């Protein structure tokens, strides 16, 4: 039995200070009401559909490791862990913290993670069962020690924070699936109280929360769901709420100048891109010249400046701080003349008509307007968009090729897939660049097919060595960029939060894309 790689262990085994248990905290007091622009589709971590769900269930449930406010991966429910090898196969050796409780008082044990694994790998339950496909066996050593044995290497498992959420086995088996969804319990800093869909969700601080250093100091938390920008801003200005996310880009400067108000802007882990149908026999986007024409036709920098008021960060394949980031890889320059010439070379001198599907729900600030701007640029060079707006619930399932009724995208589609923080594109690229493989988890929202890229992505999936993984990501990024494969990368949103100065708030990046209320309270 040997360690897989000393450098990898040094980079990944980090801890929460022992003082997290040092002394009992003061009782949480008071109430706080905040407003989010988007709403969860599901409160069960085994069933979630997209990152927005984590804004809500991430207040309740926790993982083994997570990034801290400085984007340093730290141990969380895992007290320590290591990547090792036995008989040529890798495995994770994980020891979880003692004394951690679920909200009903049950102790957290290895059996709860084994239960979480069994639900996450069940394709009848989870949309992400393929992420557990490389696991050969979950082996419980004792109540606080278990092994995850792999059939082959799986670099994404580590990049995705060891993937497992702590789920309460005894409680779930007692109440059943439906009741668990209605009244979820986890180990997190917030206990679920109630939910009114499309209106609000109420939480109460968990008095027995294990982490005495990083925890909320306010007792009651209400999250209002207010998608309309002006309504959400009005709620803040009138005092109905004391904290809001997604300050409209056009109003960020106004909020910064408001007396008694604090603001903070964060680059989100969400990577937006424009998906293209490059698989249907008669699709113009099968031709790389047409895809390159799309890349030259859209002035992404101008959209960030004017539509987003600077509240976006352009990226080329991977963002700054992400594994494999290559500062020498430059975006396609805005060149409508070049775009028209490429269309002519591809056999479309007069352009063509195409469906263009646009998200209208404010999943990210001004995302509807960004889509409209992109489609207007394309129409100007001859790629004439027939724009079809979609609400979030329809949009999130529309391109899912592994779901009944999904996979109908037949043109252009404004899409997004988080690379995470600090970031690794492996899981995202497996989902929207690799050829779709029914039942295999590959290409679940992909409308591209390239055998050479497929082989590279499969190698990336198996690669756990950090240096080799980073080099491979850079190599894939250049090929993907040249072929505009799996869509055109556009930008990472910058989201601005605002709160009254009586509120104390510290942003944690994940779960919830900085919306995690891990450390929030009211000044005494």
């Amino acid at each position: 039995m040997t360690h897989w790689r000393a450098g990898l262990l040094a980079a990944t085994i980090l801890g929460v200070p022992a003082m997290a248990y040092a002394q009992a905290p003061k009782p949480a007091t008071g109430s706080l009401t905040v407003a989010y622009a988007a709403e969860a589709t599901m409160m069960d971590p085994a069933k979630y559909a997209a990152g927005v769900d984590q804004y809500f269930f991430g207040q309740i449930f926790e993982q083994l490791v997570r990034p801290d406010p400085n984007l340093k991966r730290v141990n969380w429910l895992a007290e320590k862990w290591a990547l090792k090898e036995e008989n040529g196969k890798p495995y994770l050796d994980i020891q979880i913290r003692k004394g951690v409780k679920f909200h009903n008082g049950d102790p957290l044990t290895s059996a709860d993670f084994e239960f979480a694994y069994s639900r996450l790998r069940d394709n009848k339950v989870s949309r992400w069962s393929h992420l557990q496909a490389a696991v050969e066996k979950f082996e419980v050593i004792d109540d606080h020690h278990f092994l995850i044995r792999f059939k082959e290497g799986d670099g994404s498992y580590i990049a995705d924070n060891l993937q497992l959420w702590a789920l309460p086995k005894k409680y779930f088996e007692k109440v059943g699936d439906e009741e668990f969804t209605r009244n979820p319990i986890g180990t997190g800093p917030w206990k679920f109280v109630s939910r009114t869909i499309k209106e609000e969700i109420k939480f109460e601080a968990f008095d027995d929360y294990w982490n005495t250093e990083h925890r909320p100091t306010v007792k009651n938390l209400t999250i209002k769901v207010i998608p309309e920008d002006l309504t959400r801003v009005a709620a803040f200005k009138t005092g109905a709420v004391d904290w809001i996310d997604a300050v409209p880009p056009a109003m960020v400067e106004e909020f910064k100048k408001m007396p008694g108000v604090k603001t903070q802007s964060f680059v989100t882990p969400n990577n937006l891109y424009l998906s293209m149908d490059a698989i249907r026999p008669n699709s113009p986007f099968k031709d790389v010249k047409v895809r390159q024409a799309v890349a030259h036709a859209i002035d992404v920098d101008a959209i960030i400046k004017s539509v987003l008021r600077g509240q976006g960060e352009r990226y080329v394949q991977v963002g700054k701080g992400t594994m494999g980031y290559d500062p020498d890889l430059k975006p396609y320059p805005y060149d409508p003349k070049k775009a028209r010439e490429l269309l002519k070379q591809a056999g479309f001198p007069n352009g063509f008509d195409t469906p263009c599907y646009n998200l209208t729900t404010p999943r990210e600030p001004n995302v509807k307007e960004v889509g409209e701007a992109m489609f207007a640029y394309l129409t100007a060079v001859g790629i004439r968009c027939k724009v079809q707006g979609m609400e979030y619930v329809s949009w999130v399932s529309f391109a899912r090729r592994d779901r009944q009724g999904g996979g109908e995208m037949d043109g252009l589609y404004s899409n997004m897939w988080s690379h995470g923080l600090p970031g690794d594109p492996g899981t995202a690229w497996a989902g929207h660049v690799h050829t779709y493989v029914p039942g295999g988890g590959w290409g679940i929202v992909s409308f591209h097919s390239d055998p050479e890229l497929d082989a590279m992505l499969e190698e990336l999936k198996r690669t756990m060595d950090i240096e080799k993984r980073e080099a491979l990501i850079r190599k894939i990024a250049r090929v993907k960029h040249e072929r505009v494969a799996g869509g055109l990368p556009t930008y990472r949103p910058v989201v601005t939060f605002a709160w009254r100065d009586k509120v104390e708030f510290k942003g944690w990046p994940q779960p919830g894309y900085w919306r995690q209320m891990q450390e929030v309270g009211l000044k005494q």
Side-chain angles (χ1 to χ4, degrees), residues 189-329:
W190 293 102
K191 295 170 58 177
F192 175 83
V193 175
S194 65
R195 181 188 183 193
T196 303
I197 294 175
K198 295 187 178 180
E199 291 186 19
E200 66 179 26
I201 184 167
K202 291 181 179 291
F203 298 102
E204 179 182 289
F206 181 33
D207 290 338
D208 284 339
Y209 183 55
W210 65 273
N211 195 316
T212 58
E213 182 181 4
H214 304 291
R215 61 182 298 145
T217 58
V218 66
K219 182 64 174 177
N220 302 300
L221 173 67
T222 299
I223 300 177
K224 297 283 188 181
V225 178
I226 310 178
E228 300 80 13
D229 284 348
L230 294 181
T231 306
R232 192 170 62 260
V233 167
F236 183 82
K237 288 183 174 180
T238 61
V241 303
D242 289 313
W243 185 105
I244 63 170
D245 76 347
V247 173
M251 302 183 74
V252 169
E253 292 306 314
E254 176 187 343
F255 268 76
K256 288 181 178 180
K257 296 175 182 178
M258 286 183 184
V261 172
K262 294 184 178 181
T263 64
Q264 192 168 2
S265 298
F266 301 94
V267 177
T268 80
N270 218 357
N271 292 64
L272 277 74
Y273 66 96
L274 185 61
S275 181
M276 309 179 205
D277 173 20
I279 57 171
R280 296 178 192 272
N282 298 320
S283 173
F285 302 105
K286 283 180 67 70
D287 193 321
V288 65
K289 291 181 178 179
V290 174
R291 301 196 299 274
Q292 291 172 342
V294 170
H296 283 295
I298 301 173
D299 192 341
V300 177
D301 291 328
I303 290 174
I304 291 173
K305 181 179 180 180
S306 58
V307 179
L308 293 174
R309 304 294 183 97
Q311 297 291 292
E313 179 183 271
R314 192 169 189 182
Y315 78 102
V316 186
Q317 305 306 328
V318 296
K320 295 177 183 177
T322 300
M323 179 171 285
Y325 171 66
D326 184 351
D328 295 326
L329 192 59

Side-chain angles (χ1 to χ4, degrees), residues 110-130:
S110 298
D112 297 304
F113 279 107
E114 182 180 36
F115 173 68
Y117 161 71
S118 68
R119 294 194 77 225
L120 287 166
R121 71 189 295 268
D122 185 348
N123 62 13
K124 295 179 181 178
V125 174
S126 173
R127 292 172 179 256
W128 312 101
S129 58
H130 57 280

Side-chain angles (χ1 to χ4, degrees), residues 492-503:
R492 298 197 296 176
V494 173
V495 64
T496 297
F497 303 152
W499 60 92
R500 303 191 193 288
D501 58 10
K502 71 176 184 180
V503 176

Side-chain angles (χ1 to χ4, degrees), residues 159-180:
D160 294 342
N161 297 322
L162 308 191
Q163 296 195 5
L164 300 180
W165 298 85
L167 299 180
K169 182 176 187 288
K170 289 181 180 178
Y171 174 75
F172 187 95
E173 292 178 342
K174 178 181 178 180
V175 303
D177 197 324
E178 292 185 10
E179 179 62 19
F180 178 73

Side-chain angles (χ1 to χ4, degrees), residues 224-471:
K224 297 283 188 181
V225 178
I226 310 178
E228 300 80 13
D229 284 348
L230 294 181
T231 306
R232 192 170 62 260
V233 167
F236 183 82
K237 288 183 174 180
T238 61
V241 303
D242 289 313
W243 185 105
I244 63 170
D245 76 347
V247 173
M251 302 183 74
V252 169
E253 292 306 314
E254 176 187 343
F255 268 76
K256 288 181 178 180
K257 296 175 182 178
M258 286 183 184
V261 172
K262 294 184 178 181
T263 64
Q264 192 168 2
S265 298
F266 301 94
V267 177
T268 80
N270 218 357
N271 292 64
L272 277 74
Y273 66 96
L274 185 61
S275 181
M276 309 179 205
D277 173 20
I279 57 171
R280 296 178 192 272
N282 298 320
S283 173
F285 302 105
K286 283 180 67 70
D287 193 321
V288 65
K289 291 181 178 179
V290 174
R291 301 196 299 274
Q292 291 172 342
V294 170
H296 283 295
I298 301 173
D299 192 341
V300 177
D301 291 328
I303 290 174
I304 291 173
K305 181 179 180 180
S306 58
V307 179
L308 293 174
R309 304 294 183 97
Q311 297 291 292
E313 179 183 271
R314 192 169 189 182
Y315 78 102
V316 186
Q317 305 306 328
V318 296
K320 295 177 183 177
T322 300
M323 179 171 285
Y325 171 66
D326 184 351
D328 295 326
L329 192 59
K330 304 300 181 183
Y332 284 86
Y334 173 57
D335 190 341
K337 182 178 179 180
K338 177 70 172 178
R340 293 187 187 95
E341 177 60 29
L342 285 165
L343 289 175
K344 183 178 179 180
Q345 293 175 16
F348 299 99
N350 300 315
F352 57 86
D353 298 326
T354 185
C356 294
Y357 301 95
N358 194 36
L359 175 61
T360 59
T361 304
R363 169 66 175 82
E364 296 288 357
N366 284 15
V367 69
K368 172 178 177 288
E369 292 77 10
V370 168
E372 292 170 344
M374 290 194 299
F375 298 148
Y377 274 115
L378 292 171
T379 297
V381 301
I383 302 174
R384 295 178 292 274
C385 280
K386 298 180 179 178
V387 181
Q388 300 183 37
M390 305 185 77
E391 293 291 327
Y392 184 77
V393 173
S394 299
W395 171 86
V396 79
S397 299
F398 175 68
R400 288 283 303 223
R401 301 189 66 191
D402 60 338
R403 296 289 165 177
Q404 186 174 0
E408 297 302 316
M409 205 279 286
D410 55 353
L412 297 169
Y413 175 72
S414 61
N415 205 2
M416 60 190 76
W417 194 315
S418 171
H419 289 185
L421 290 170
D424 184 294
T427 297
W429 286 354
H432 73 84
V433 181
H434 193 286
T435 302
Y436 175 53
V437 179
W442 296 102
I444 58 176
V445 292
S446 174
F447 294 85
H448 198 86
S449 183
D450 184 324
E452 182 182 1
L453 270 173
D454 289 351
M456 294 168 72
L457 290 167
E458 288 162 18
E459 181 183 356
L460 179 63
K461 175 74 171 176
R462 295 189 296 268
T463 301
M464 293 177 121
D465 181 287
I466 286 179
E467 293 179 2
K468 291 180 180 179
R469 186 172 182 84
E470 184 152 20

